[in-house]
């Protein structure tokens, strides 16, 4: 069964700058690819994305193309560095744009994001991974994404300034375990939702 996975990389570094967040994304993407899933990474900072709670085609920007890829995906993984203890500003912007279509429904009257699985990847060199993960996963759940167990993968090193993921996290056993758990759990739920979509009874926005 074909499964499409889309990663939104919220690094603040434009391509082709090296991104710790993208390095950790690649670990997850490798797991998905090994299991036959199709993966794509979008580095959001490379695109013109307007601020605001608006529909996908309302802004004078490039969000519509990103939105269309989200709609084609079975799995959406939000990936973000931590700055000042928070997710990156461009991930906040992306979540706000997703919120702009939160009232839109599928043919059954459910959120258009129903039957898609969501996860989160976090990098940094300070505390905040669990707080950022909680914020992102709650947002995705509110929008209609299904959140399986253990779908937060992160590397933050020791508290305070320290080694980045590329410098010190690639061989960390906990992070490697989380990458595996997140990827396989998302894949399992995506396949399950394709076979058995969430029933509409009691689950419509209309």
């Amino acid at each position: 069964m074909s499964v499409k996975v889309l990663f939104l990389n919220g690094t603040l570094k434009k391509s082709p700058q090296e991104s710790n967040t993208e390095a950790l994304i690649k670990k997850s993407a490798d797991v998905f690819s090994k299991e036959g899933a199709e993966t794509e990474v979008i580095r959001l900072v490379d695109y013109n994305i307007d601020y605001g709670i608006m529909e996908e085609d309302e802004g004078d920007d490039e969000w519509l193309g990103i939105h269309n890829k989200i709609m084609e995906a079975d799995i959406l993984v939000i990936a973000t560095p931590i700055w000042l203890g928070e997710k990156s500003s461009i991930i906040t912007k992306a979540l706000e744009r997703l919120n702009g279509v939160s009232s839109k429904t599928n043919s059954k009257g459910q959120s258009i994001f129903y039957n898609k699985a969501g996860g989160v990847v976090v990098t940094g060199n300070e505390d905040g991974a669990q707080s950022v993960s909680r914020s992102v996963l709650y947002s995705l759940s509110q929008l209609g994404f299904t959140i399986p167990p253990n779908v937060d993968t992160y590397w933050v090193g020791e508290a305070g300034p320290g080694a980045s993921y590329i410098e010190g996290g690639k061989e960390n056993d906990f992070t490697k375990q989380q990458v595996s758990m997140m990827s396989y759990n998302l894949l399992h739920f995506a396949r399950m939702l394709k076979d058995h979509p969430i029933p509409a009874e009691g689950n419509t926005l209309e």
Side-chain angles (χ1 to χ4, degrees), residues 86-99:
E86 300 288 345
K87 57 186 177 290
S88 74
S89 56
I90 199 163
I91 287 299
T92 297
K93 186 192 292 189
L95 290 170
E96 288 170 347
R97 292 304 300 271
L98 289 175
N99 191 37

Side-chain angles (χ1 to χ4, degrees), residues 50-51 54-64 97:
D50 286 345
Y51 288 97
M54 63 183 83
E55 295 192 4
E56 71 276 17
D57 57 354
E58 194 174 346
D60 184 21
D61 63 358
E62 298 176 283
W63 177 255
L64 178 59
R97 292 304 300 271

